[in-house]
Amino acid sequence: MIWKEKLISQVEERIRQKPVGLEEIPQDTLTKETHEYRPVTMTGTFDHDSEVYFFTTSKNGLPGWNIHTPMIYGPDNAVIVNRGFVPFENRAPDSRLPGQTEGQQTVTGLLRFPLLEKPFGSLANIPDKREFYWRNVAEMSALMGASQGVAFLPVIIDAGEEPNPGGLPIGGTTIIAFPNNHLQYAITWYGLALTLLGVGGFFLYSRRKDEND
């Protein structure tokens, strides 16, 4: 419980920090423990032709896709940006052309460190269809140009709530929630232990009583 409360406190403090340029953070210091949910900015050019689709639901429960697009910066460097949510009917880029912004763009969002292994119960990704059911950065990067020599950072930027032209994608998809039910767990387990103690005591009492009779 103490560990979880410390984690919650650290994240709440971190998300209130002023955004810092991602390029200003030494790559060898980028760790989940120190930078998860850190507000960052990045300037570059979106490669919309290489976007991929992460299955999700919006904050109001509507199913659809989060659009993940490589942002190219420097000669051959890139970072994956989760630009935000679109309903199923707006997966095709030509259905949201105003949001396919061209030229230099600056994105501000939260730094994320996706899982390295497939979560239990999650569907398998379908790279051939550019569909992802868990955020595998290595697979996404491979589809986005890593095989052509583009160096991707091992992180994802979840874009903030600043509206995109035309309204899509809808940014600000990050959900920060850390269940902290340790007190309830403690009460439950102590309650079960007391119940077991009572049942055991009654059993021993009944057995001894039968032996005496």
Coordinates of all heavy atoms in Angstrom, one line a residue, residues 69-165:
T69 N 1.1 7.7 -35.2 CA 1.8 8.2 -36.4 C 3.2 8.5 -36.1 O 3.5 9.1 -35.0 CB 1.1 9.5 -36.9 OG1 -0.3 9.3 -37.1 CG2 1.7 10.0 -38.2
P70 N 4.2 8.2 -36.9 CA 5.5 8.6 -36.7 C 5.8 10.1 -36.9 O 5.3 10.6 -37.9 CB 6.3 7.7 -37.7 CG 5.4 7.5 -38.8 CD 4.0 7.4 -38.2
M71 N 6.4 10.7 -36.0 CA 6.9 12.1 -36.2 C 8.4 12.1 -36.5 O 9.2 11.6 -35.6 CB 6.6 12.9 -34.9 CG 7.2 14.3 -35.0 SD 6.7 15.5 -33.7 CE 5.2 16.2 -34.4
I72 N 8.7 12.5 -37.6 CA 10.1 12.5 -38.1 C 10.8 13.8 -37.6 O 10.3 14.9 -37.9 CB 10.2 12.4 -39.6 CG1 9.3 11.2 -40.1 CG2 11.7 12.2 -40.0 CD1 9.7 9.9 -39.5
Y73 N 11.9 13.7 -37.0 CA 12.7 14.9 -36.6 C 14.2 14.5 -36.9 O 14.6 13.4 -36.8 CB 12.5 15.2 -35.1 CG 13.0 14.2 -34.1 CD1 14.3 14.3 -33.6 CD2 12.2 13.1 -33.8 CE1 14.7 13.3 -32.7 CE2 12.7 12.1 -32.9 CZ 13.9 12.2 -32.4 OH 14.4 11.3 -31.5
G74 N 14.9 15.6 -37.2 CA 16.3 15.3 -37.6 C 16.4 14.6 -38.9 O 15.4 14.3 -39.5
P75 N 17.5 14.1 -39.3 CA 17.6 13.4 -40.6 C 16.9 12.1 -40.6 O 16.2 11.8 -41.6 CB 19.2 13.3 -40.8 CG 19.7 13.3 -39.4 CD 18.9 14.2 -38.6
D76 N 17.2 11.2 -39.6 CA 16.6 9.9 -39.7 C 16.1 9.4 -38.3 O 16.3 8.3 -37.9 CB 17.6 8.9 -40.2 CG 18.0 9.1 -41.6 OD1 17.1 9.0 -42.5 OD2 19.2 9.4 -41.9
N77 N 15.5 10.3 -37.6 CA 15.0 10.0 -36.2 C 13.5 10.2 -36.2 O 12.9 11.0 -36.9 CB 15.7 10.9 -35.2 CG 17.2 10.8 -35.1 OD1 17.7 9.7 -34.9 ND2 17.9 11.8 -35.5
A78 N 12.9 9.4 -35.3 CA 11.4 9.5 -35.2 C 10.9 9.0 -33.8 O 11.6 8.3 -33.1 CB 10.8 8.6 -36.3
V79 N 9.7 9.5 -33.5 CA 9.1 9.0 -32.3 C 7.6 8.8 -32.7 O 7.0 9.5 -33.5 CB 9.2 10.0 -31.2 CG1 8.5 11.4 -31.5 CG2 8.6 9.5 -29.8
I80 N 7.0 7.8 -32.1 CA 5.6 7.5 -32.3 C 4.7 8.4 -31.5 O 4.9 8.5 -30.3 CB 5.3 6.0 -32.0 CG1 6.1 5.0 -32.8 CG2 3.8 5.7 -32.2 CD1 6.0 3.6 -32.4
V81 N 3.7 9.0 -32.2 CA 2.8 9.9 -31.5 C 1.4 9.3 -31.6 O 0.9 9.0 -32.7 CB 2.8 11.3 -32.1 CG1 1.7 12.1 -31.4 CG2 4.2 11.9 -32.0
N82 N 0.8 9.1 -30.4 CA -0.6 8.7 -30.4 C -1.4 10.0 -30.5 O -1.6 10.7 -29.6 CB -0.9 8.0 -29.0 CG -2.4 7.8 -28.8 OD1 -3.3 7.9 -29.7 ND2 -2.8 7.6 -27.5
R83 N -1.9 10.3 -31.7 CA -2.5 11.5 -32.0 C -3.9 11.6 -31.4 O -4.5 12.7 -31.3 CB -2.6 11.8 -33.5 CG -1.2 11.8 -34.2 CD -1.3 12.3 -35.6 NE -1.8 13.6 -35.7 CZ -2.6 14.1 -36.6 NH1 -3.1 13.2 -37.5 NH2 -3.0 15.3 -36.6
G84 N -4.6 10.5 -31.1 CA -5.9 10.5 -30.6 C -6.9 9.5 -31.2 O -6.5 8.7 -32.0
F85 N -8.1 9.7 -30.7 CA -9.2 8.7 -31.0 C -10.0 9.1 -32.3 O -10.2 10.3 -32.5 CB -10.1 8.6 -29.8 CG -11.3 7.7 -30.1 CD1 -11.2 6.4 -29.9 CD2 -12.5 8.3 -30.5 CE1 -12.4 5.6 -30.1 CE2 -13.6 7.5 -30.7 CZ -13.6 6.2 -30.5
V86 N -10.3 8.1 -33.1 CA -11.3 8.2 -34.1 C -12.3 7.1 -34.1 O -11.9 5.9 -33.7 CB -10.7 8.3 -35.5 CG1 -9.7 9.5 -35.6 CG2 -10.0 7.0 -35.9
P87 N -13.6 7.3 -34.4 CA -14.5 6.2 -34.5 C -14.2 5.3 -35.6 O -13.4 5.6 -36.5 CB -15.9 6.9 -34.7 CG -15.7 8.3 -34.3 CD -14.2 8.6 -34.6
F88 N -14.7 4.0 -35.6 CA -14.5 3.1 -36.7 C -14.6 3.7 -38.1 O -13.8 3.5 -39.0 CB -15.4 1.9 -36.5 CG -15.0 0.9 -35.4 CD1 -15.9 0.4 -34.6 CD2 -13.7 0.6 -35.2 CE1 -15.6 -0.4 -33.5 CE2 -13.3 -0.3 -34.2 CZ -14.3 -0.8 -33.4
E89 N -15.7 4.5 -38.3 CA -16.0 5.0 -39.6 C -15.0 6.1 -40.1 O -15.0 6.5 -41.2 CB -17.4 5.6 -39.6 CG -17.7 6.7 -38.7 CD -18.2 6.3 -37.3 OE1 -18.0 5.1 -37.0 OE2 -18.9 7.1 -36.7
N90 N -14.1 6.5 -39.2 CA -13.1 7.5 -39.5 C -11.7 7.0 -39.5 O -10.7 7.7 -39.4 CB -13.2 8.7 -38.6 CG -14.5 9.5 -38.8 OD1 -15.3 9.5 -37.9 ND2 -14.6 10.1 -39.9
R91 N -11.6 5.7 -39.6 CA -10.2 5.1 -39.7 C -9.5 5.5 -40.9 O -8.3 5.9 -40.9 CB -10.3 3.6 -39.6 CG -9.0 2.9 -40.0 CD -9.0 1.4 -39.7 NE -8.0 0.7 -40.4 CZ -7.5 -0.5 -40.1 NH1 -8.1 -1.2 -39.1 NH2 -6.6 -1.1 -40.8
A92 N -10.2 5.5 -42.1 CA -9.6 5.9 -43.3 C -9.1 7.3 -43.3 O -9.9 8.2 -43.0 CB -10.5 5.6 -44.5
P93 N -7.9 7.6 -43.7 CA -7.3 9.0 -43.6 C -8.1 10.0 -44.4 O -8.3 11.1 -44.0 CB -5.9 8.8 -44.1 CG -5.5 7.4 -43.8 CD -6.8 6.6 -44.0
D94 N -8.7 9.5 -45.6 CA -9.4 10.5 -46.4 C -10.8 10.9 -45.8 O -11.4 11.8 -46.3 CB -9.6 9.9 -47.8 CG -10.4 8.6 -47.9 OD1 -10.9 8.1 -46.8 OD2 -10.5 8.0 -48.9
S95 N -11.2 10.3 -44.7 CA -12.4 10.7 -44.0 C -12.1 11.7 -43.0 O -13.1 12.2 -42.3 CB -13.1 9.4 -43.3 OG -12.3 9.0 -42.2
R96 N -10.9 12.1 -42.8 CA -10.5 13.1 -41.8 C -9.3 13.9 -42.3 O -8.3 14.2 -41.6 CB -10.1 12.5 -40.5 CG -9.3 11.2 -40.6 CD -9.0 10.5 -39.3 NE -8.4 9.2 -39.5 CZ -7.2 9.0 -39.6 NH1 -6.3 10.0 -39.7 NH2 -6.7 7.7 -39.8
L97 N -9.4 14.3 -43.6 CA -8.3 15.0 -44.3 C -7.8 16.3 -43.6 O -6.6 16.5 -43.5 CB -8.6 15.3 -45.7 CG -8.6 14.1 -46.7 CD1 -9.1 14.5 -48.1 CD2 -7.3 13.4 -46.7
P98 N -8.7 17.1 -43.0 CA -8.2 18.3 -42.4 C -7.2 18.0 -41.2 O -6.3 18.9 -40.9 CB -9.5 19.0 -41.8 CG -10.6 18.5 -42.8 CD -10.2 17.1 -43.1
G99 N -7.4 16.9 -40.6 CA -6.5 16.6 -39.5 C -5.2 16.0 -39.9 O -4.3 15.8 -39.0
Q100 N -5.0 15.7 -41.2 CA -3.7 15.2 -41.7 C -2.8 16.3 -41.9 O -2.4 16.7 -43.1 CB -3.9 14.3 -42.9 CG -4.9 13.2 -42.7 CD -4.4 12.1 -41.7 OE1 -4.6 12.3 -40.5 NE2 -3.7 11.1 -42.2
T101 N -2.3 17.0 -40.9 CA -1.6 18.2 -41.0 C -0.2 18.0 -41.6 O 0.5 17.0 -41.4 CB -1.4 18.8 -39.6 OG1 -0.9 17.8 -38.7 CG2 -2.7 19.3 -39.0
E102 N 0.2 19.0 -42.4 CA 1.5 18.9 -43.2 C 2.5 19.9 -42.6 O 2.1 20.8 -41.9 CB 1.2 19.2 -44.7 CG 0.2 18.2 -45.3 CD 0.8 16.8 -45.5 OE1 2.0 16.7 -45.4 OE2 0.0 15.9 -45.6
G103 N 3.7 19.6 -42.9 CA 4.8 20.5 -42.5 C 5.2 20.4 -41.1 O 4.7 19.4 -40.4
Q104 N 6.0 21.3 -40.6 CA 6.5 21.2 -39.2 C 5.3 21.4 -38.2 O 4.5 22.3 -38.3 CB 7.5 22.3 -38.9 CG 8.9 22.0 -39.6 CD 9.7 21.0 -38.9 OE1 10.0 21.1 -37.7 NE2 10.1 19.9 -39.5
Q105 N 5.2 20.4 -37.3 CA 4.2 20.5 -36.2 C 4.9 20.3 -34.9 O 5.9 19.6 -34.7 CB 3.2 19.4 -36.4 CG 2.6 19.3 -37.8 CD 1.6 20.5 -38.1 OE1 0.9 20.9 -37.1 NE2 1.6 21.0 -39.3
T106 N 4.3 20.9 -33.9 CA 4.7 20.6 -32.5 C 3.6 20.0 -31.7 O 2.5 20.4 -31.7 CB 5.1 22.0 -31.8 OG1 6.2 22.6 -32.5 CG2 5.5 21.7 -30.4
V107 N 4.0 18.9 -31.1 CA 3.0 18.1 -30.3 C 3.4 18.2 -28.8 O 4.6 18.1 -28.5 CB 2.9 16.7 -30.8 CG1 4.2 15.9 -30.6 CG2 1.7 16.0 -30.0
T108 N 2.4 18.3 -27.9 CA 2.7 18.3 -26.5 C 1.8 17.2 -25.9 O 0.6 17.1 -26.2 CB 2.3 19.6 -25.8 OG1 3.1 20.7 -26.4 CG2 2.5 19.6 -24.3
G109 N 2.4 16.4 -25.1 CA 1.7 15.3 -24.5 C 2.4 14.6 -23.4 O 3.4 15.1 -22.9
L110 N 2.0 13.4 -23.1 CA 2.6 12.6 -22.0 C 3.4 11.5 -22.5 O 3.0 10.8 -23.4 CB 1.5 12.1 -21.0 CG 0.6 13.1 -20.4 CD1 -0.5 12.4 -19.5 CD2 1.4 14.1 -19.5
L111 N 4.6 11.3 -21.9 CA 5.5 10.3 -22.3 C 5.0 8.9 -21.8 O 4.7 8.8 -20.6 CB 6.9 10.6 -21.8 CG 8.1 9.9 -22.4 CD1 8.2 10.1 -23.9 CD2 9.4 10.3 -21.8
R112 N 5.0 7.9 -22.6 CA 4.5 6.6 -22.2 C 5.6 5.5 -22.6 O 6.3 5.6 -23.6 CB 3.2 6.3 -22.9 CG 2.1 7.3 -22.7 CD 1.8 7.4 -21.2 NE 1.5 6.1 -20.6 CZ 0.4 5.4 -20.6 NH1 -0.7 6.0 -21.3 NH2 0.2 4.3 -20.1
F113 N 5.6 4.5 -21.7 CA 6.5 3.4 -21.9 C 5.6 2.1 -22.1 O 5.3 1.5 -21.0 CB 7.5 3.3 -20.8 CG 8.5 4.4 -20.7 CD1 8.1 5.6 -20.3 CD2 9.8 4.2 -21.1 CE1 9.0 6.7 -20.2 CE2 10.7 5.2 -21.0 CZ 10.3 6.4 -20.6
P114 N 5.2 1.8 -23.3 CA 4.3 0.6 -23.4 C 4.9 -0.7 -22.9 O 6.1 -0.8 -22.8 CB 4.0 0.6 -24.9 CG 4.3 2.0 -25.4 CD 5.4 2.5 -24.5
L115 N 4.0 -1.7 -22.7 CA 4.5 -3.0 -22.3 C 5.4 -3.6 -23.3 O 5.3 -3.4 -24.5 CB 3.2 -3.9 -22.1 CG 2.2 -3.4 -21.0 CD1 1.0 -4.3 -21.0 CD2 2.9 -3.4 -19.6
L116 N 6.3 -4.5 -22.8 CA 7.3 -5.2 -23.7 C 6.7 -6.5 -24.1 O 7.3 -7.1 -25.0 CB 8.6 -5.3 -22.9 CG 9.3 -4.0 -22.6 CD1 10.6 -4.3 -21.8 CD2 9.6 -3.2 -23.8
E117 N 5.7 -7.0 -23.4 CA 5.2 -8.3 -23.7 C 3.6 -8.2 -23.8 O 3.0 -7.4 -23.2 CB 5.5 -9.3 -22.6 CG 7.0 -9.6 -22.5 CD 7.4 -10.7 -21.4 OE1 6.4 -11.1 -20.7 OE2 8.5 -11.0 -21.3
K118 N 3.1 -9.1 -24.6 CA 1.6 -9.1 -24.8 C 0.9 -9.4 -23.5 O 1.2 -10.4 -22.8 CB 1.3 -10.2 -25.8 CG -0.2 -10.4 -26.1 CD -0.4 -11.5 -27.1 CE -1.8 -11.8 -27.4 NZ -2.4 -12.5 -26.2
P119 N 0.0 -8.5 -23.1 CA -0.8 -8.8 -21.9 C -1.7 -10.0 -21.9 O -2.1 -10.4 -23.0 CB -1.7 -7.5 -21.8 CG -1.1 -6.5 -22.7 CD -0.4 -7.3 -23.8
F120 N -1.8 -10.7 -20.8 CA -2.7 -11.9 -20.8 C -4.1 -11.5 -21.2 O -4.7 -10.5 -20.7 CB -2.7 -12.4 -19.4 CG -3.6 -13.6 -19.2 CD1 -3.2 -14.9 -19.7 CD2 -4.9 -13.5 -18.7 CE1 -4.0 -16.0 -19.6 CE2 -5.7 -14.6 -18.5 CZ -5.3 -15.9 -19.0
G121 N -4.6 -12.3 -22.1 CA -6.0 -12.1 -22.6 C -6.1 -11.1 -23.8 O -7.2 -11.0 -24.3
S122 N -5.1 -10.4 -24.1 CA -5.1 -9.5 -25.2 C -5.1 -10.2 -26.5 O -4.5 -11.2 -26.7 CB -4.0 -8.5 -25.1 OG -4.0 -7.6 -26.3
L123 N -5.8 -9.6 -27.5 CA -5.7 -10.2 -28.9 C -4.4 -9.9 -29.5 O -3.6 -9.0 -29.1 CB -6.8 -9.5 -29.8 CG -8.3 -9.7 -29.4 CD1 -9.2 -8.9 -30.3 CD2 -8.6 -11.2 -29.5
A124 N -4.0 -10.8 -30.4 CA -2.7 -10.6 -31.1 C -2.8 -9.5 -32.1 O -3.8 -9.3 -32.7 CB -2.3 -11.9 -31.8
N125 N -1.7 -8.8 -32.2 CA -1.6 -7.7 -33.2 C -1.7 -8.3 -34.6 O -1.3 -9.4 -34.9 CB -0.4 -6.9 -33.0 CG -0.3 -6.1 -31.7 OD1 -1.4 -5.7 -31.2 ND2 0.9 -5.9 -31.2
I126 N -2.2 -7.5 -35.6 CA -2.2 -7.9 -37.0 C -1.5 -6.9 -37.8 O -2.1 -6.0 -38.4 CB -3.7 -8.0 -37.5 CG1 -4.5 -8.8 -36.5 CG2 -3.7 -8.7 -38.9 CD1 -6.0 -8.9 -36.8
P127 N -0.1 -7.0 -37.8 CA 0.7 -6.0 -38.5 C 0.3 -5.8 -40.0 O 0.4 -4.7 -40.6 CB 2.1 -6.5 -38.4 CG 2.0 -7.3 -37.1 CD 0.7 -7.9 -37.1
D128 N -0.1 -6.9 -40.7 CA -0.4 -6.9 -42.1 C -1.6 -5.9 -42.3 O -1.7 -5.4 -43.4 CB -0.8 -8.3 -42.6 CG 0.4 -9.2 -42.7 OD1 1.5 -8.7 -42.6 OD2 0.2 -10.4 -42.9
K129 N -2.5 -5.8 -41.3 CA -3.6 -4.8 -41.5 C -3.4 -3.5 -40.7 O -4.3 -2.7 -40.6 CB -4.9 -5.5 -40.9 CG -5.4 -6.7 -41.8 CD -6.7 -7.2 -41.2 CE -7.2 -8.4 -42.1 NZ -8.5 -8.9 -41.5
R130 N -2.1 -3.4 -40.2 CA -1.8 -2.2 -39.4 C -2.7 -2.1 -38.1 O -2.9 -0.9 -37.7 CB -1.8 -1.0 -40.2 CG -1.0 -1.1 -41.6 CD -0.9 0.2 -42.3 NE 0.1 1.0 -41.7 CZ 1.4 0.9 -42.0 NH1 1.9 0.0 -42.8 NH2 2.3 1.7 -41.5
E131 N -3.2 -3.2 -37.6 CA -4.0 -3.2 -36.5 C -3.3 -3.7 -35.2 O -2.7 -4.7 -35.3 CB -5.3 -4.0 -36.7 CG -6.2 -3.5 -37.8 CD -7.4 -4.4 -38.1 OE1 -7.5 -5.4 -37.4 OE2 -8.2 -4.0 -38.9
F132 N -3.4 -2.9 -34.1 CA -2.7 -3.3 -32.9 C -3.7 -3.4 -31.7 O -4.6 -2.5 -31.6 CB -1.6 -2.3 -32.6 CG -0.5 -2.4 -33.5 CD1 -0.5 -1.9 -34.8 CD2 0.7 -3.1 -33.1 CE1 0.6 -2.0 -35.6 CE2 1.8 -3.3 -33.9 CZ 1.7 -2.7 -35.2
Y133 N -3.6 -4.4 -30.9 CA -4.4 -4.6 -29.8 C -3.6 -4.5 -28.5 O -4.2 -4.6 -27.4 CB -5.1 -6.0 -29.9 CG -6.0 -6.0 -31.1 CD1 -5.6 -6.4 -32.4 CD2 -7.3 -5.5 -31.1 CE1 -6.4 -6.4 -33.5 CE2 -8.2 -5.5 -32.2 CZ -7.7 -5.9 -33.4 OH -8.5 -5.9 -34.5
W134 N -2.3 -4.4 -28.6 CA -1.5 -4.0 -27.5 C -0.3 -3.2 -28.2 O 0.1 -3.5 -29.3 CB -1.0 -5.1 -26.6 CG -0.1 -6.1 -27.3 CD1 -0.4 -7.1 -28.1 CD2 1.3 -6.2 -27.1 NE1 0.7 -7.8 -28.5 CE2 1.8 -7.3 -27.8 CE3 2.3 -5.5 -26.3 CZ2 3.1 -7.7 -27.9 CZ3 3.6 -5.9 -26.3 CH2 4.0 -7.0 -27.1
R135 N 0.2 -2.2 -27.5 CA 1.1 -1.3 -28.1 C 2.6 -1.8 -28.1 O 3.3 -1.6 -27.2 CB 1.0 0.1 -27.5 CG -0.3 0.7 -27.5 CD -0.3 2.2 -27.5 NE 0.0 2.8 -26.2 CZ 0.0 4.1 -25.9 NH1 -0.4 4.9 -26.8 NH2 0.3 4.5 -24.7
N136 N 2.9 -2.5 -29.1 CA 4.2 -3.1 -29.3 C 5.0 -2.1 -30.1 O 4.9 -2.0 -31.3 CB 4.1 -4.5 -30.0 CG 5.5 -5.2 -30.1 OD1 6.5 -4.5 -30.3 ND2 5.4 -6.5 -30.0
V137 N 5.9 -1.4 -29.5 CA 6.7 -0.3 -30.1 C 7.6 -0.9 -31.2 O 7.7 -0.3 -32.3 CB 7.5 0.5 -29.1 CG1 8.4 1.5 -29.8 CG2 6.6 1.3 -28.2
A138 N 8.1 -2.1 -31.0 CA 9.0 -2.7 -32.0 C 8.3 -3.0 -33.3 O 8.7 -2.7 -34.4 CB 9.7 -3.9 -31.4
E139 N 7.1 -3.6 -33.1 CA 6.3 -3.9 -34.3 C 5.8 -2.6 -35.0 O 5.8 -2.6 -36.3 CB 5.1 -4.8 -33.9 CG 5.4 -6.2 -33.7 CD 4.1 -7.0 -33.4 OE1 3.1 -6.5 -32.8 OE2 4.1 -8.2 -33.8
M140 N 5.3 -1.7 -34.2 CA 4.9 -0.4 -34.8 C 6.0 0.3 -35.6 O 5.8 0.7 -36.7 CB 4.4 0.5 -33.8 CG 3.0 0.1 -33.2 SD 2.5 1.4 -31.9 CE 0.8 0.8 -31.6
S141 N 7.2 0.3 -35.0 CA 8.3 1.0 -35.6 C 8.7 0.3 -36.9 O 9.1 1.0 -37.9 CB 9.5 1.0 -34.6 OG 9.2 1.7 -33.5
A142 N 8.7 -1.0 -36.9 CA 9.0 -1.8 -38.1 C 8.1 -1.4 -39.3 O 8.6 -1.3 -40.4 CB 8.9 -3.3 -37.8
L143 N 6.8 -1.2 -39.0 CA 5.9 -0.8 -40.0 C 6.1 0.6 -40.5 O 5.8 1.0 -41.6 CB 4.4 -1.0 -39.6 CG 3.9 -2.4 -39.5 CD1 2.5 -2.4 -38.8 CD2 3.8 -3.0 -40.9
M144 N 6.6 1.4 -39.6 CA 6.7 2.9 -39.8 C 8.0 3.3 -40.4 O 8.2 4.5 -40.7 CB 6.5 3.6 -38.5 CG 5.1 3.5 -37.9 SD 5.1 4.3 -36.3 CE 3.3 4.3 -35.9
G145 N 8.9 2.4 -40.6 CA 10.1 2.8 -41.4 C 11.4 2.4 -40.7 O 12.5 2.8 -41.2
A146 N 11.4 1.7 -39.6 CA 12.7 1.3 -38.9 C 13.6 0.5 -39.8 O 14.8 0.6 -39.8 CB 12.4 0.6 -37.6
S147 N 12.9 -0.3 -40.7 CA 13.7 -1.2 -41.6 C 14.4 -0.3 -42.7 O 15.3 -0.8 -43.3 CB 12.7 -2.2 -42.3 OG 11.7 -1.5 -43.0
Q148 N 14.0 0.9 -42.9 CA 14.6 1.8 -43.8 C 15.7 2.7 -43.1 O 16.2 3.7 -43.7 CB 13.6 2.7 -44.5 CG 12.8 2.0 -45.6 CD 11.7 1.2 -45.0 OE1 11.0 1.6 -44.1 NE2 11.6 -0.1 -45.5
G149 N 16.1 2.3 -41.9 CA 17.2 3.0 -41.3 C 16.7 4.2 -40.4 O 17.6 4.9 -39.8
V150 N 15.4 4.4 -40.2 CA 14.9 5.4 -39.3 C 15.0 4.9 -37.9 O 14.6 3.8 -37.5 CB 13.5 5.8 -39.6 CG1 13.0 6.8 -38.6 CG2 13.3 6.3 -41.0
A151 N 15.6 5.7 -37.0 CA 15.9 5.3 -35.6 C 14.7 5.9 -34.7 O 14.5 7.1 -34.6 CB 17.2 5.9 -35.1
F152 N 14.0 5.0 -34.2 CA 12.8 5.3 -33.3 C 13.2 5.3 -31.9 O 13.9 4.4 -31.4 CB 11.6 4.3 -33.5 CG 10.8 4.6 -34.8 CD1 11.3 4.2 -36.0 CD2 9.6 5.3 -34.7 CE1 10.5 4.4 -37.2 CE2 8.9 5.5 -35.8 CZ 9.3 5.1 -37.1
L153 N 12.7 6.3 -31.1 CA 12.8 6.3 -29.7 C 11.9 5.1 -29.2 O 10.8 4.9 -29.7 CB 12.4 7.6 -29.1 CG 13.3 8.8 -29.3 CD1 12.7 10.1 -28.7 CD2 14.7 8.5 -28.7
P154 N 12.3 4.5 -28.1 CA 11.5 3.3 -27.6 C 10.3 3.8 -26.7 O 10.0 3.1 -25.7 CB 12.5 2.6 -26.8 CG 13.4 3.6 -26.2 CD 13.5 4.7 -27.3
V155 N 9.7 4.9 -27.1 CA 8.6 5.4 -26.3 C 7.5 5.9 -27.2 O 7.6 5.9 -28.4 CB 9.0 6.6 -25.4 CG1 10.1 6.2 -24.4 CG2 9.6 7.7 -26.3
I156 N 6.3 6.3 -26.6 CA 5.2 6.9 -27.3 C 4.8 8.1 -26.6 O 4.8 8.2 -25.4 CB 4.0 5.9 -27.4 CG1 4.4 4.7 -28.3 CG2 2.8 6.6 -27.9 CD1 3.3 3.6 -28.3
I157 N 4.5 9.1 -27.4 CA 3.9 10.4 -26.9 C 2.4 10.3 -27.1 O 1.9 10.2 -28.2 CB 4.5 11.6 -27.6 CG1 6.0 11.7 -27.4 CG2 3.8 12.9 -27.0 CD1 6.6 12.9 -28.1
D158 N 1.7 10.3 -25.9 CA 0.2 10.5 -26.0 C -0.1 12.0 -26.1 O 0.1 12.7 -25.2 CB -0.4 9.9 -24.8 CG -0.5 8.4 -24.8 OD1 -0.3 7.8 -25.8 OD2 -0.9 7.8 -23.7
A159 N -0.6 12.4 -27.3 CA -0.9 13.8 -27.5 C -1.9 14.3 -26.6 O -2.8 13.6 -26.1 CB -1.3 14.0 -29.0
G160 N -1.8 15.6 -26.2 CA -2.7 16.2 -25.3 C -4.1 16.6 -26.0 O -4.4 16.1 -27.1
E161 N -4.9 17.4 -25.3 CA -6.2 17.7 -25.7 C -6.3 18.8 -26.7 O -7.5 19.1 -27.1 CB -7.1 18.0 -24.5 CG -7.2 16.8 -23.5 CD -8.1 17.2 -22.3 OE1 -8.4 18.4 -22.1 OE2 -8.4 16.2 -21.6
E162 N -5.2 19.4 -27.1 CA -5.3 20.5 -28.1 C -6.0 20.0 -29.4 O -5.6 19.0 -30.0 CB -4.0 21.0 -28.5 CG -4.0 22.2 -29.4 CD -2.6 22.8 -29.7 OE1 -1.7 22.4 -29.0 OE2 -2.5 23.7 -30.5
P163 N -7.1 20.6 -29.9 CA -7.9 20.1 -31.0 C -7.1 20.0 -32.3 O -6.2 20.9 -32.6 CB -9.0 21.1 -31.1 CG -9.1 21.8 -29.8 CD -7.7 21.8 -29.3
N164 N -7.3 19.0 -33.1 CA -6.7 18.9 -34.4 C -7.7 19.6 -35.4 O -8.9 19.6 -35.2 CB -6.5 17.4 -34.8 CG -5.3 16.8 -34.1 OD1 -4.2 17.3 -34.3 ND2 -5.6 15.8 -33.3
P165 N -7.2 20.1 -36.5 CA -8.1 20.6 -37.5 C -9.1 19.6 -38.0 O -8.8 18.4 -38.2 CB -7.1 21.0 -38.7 CG -5.8 21.2 -38.0 CD -5.8 20.2 -36.9

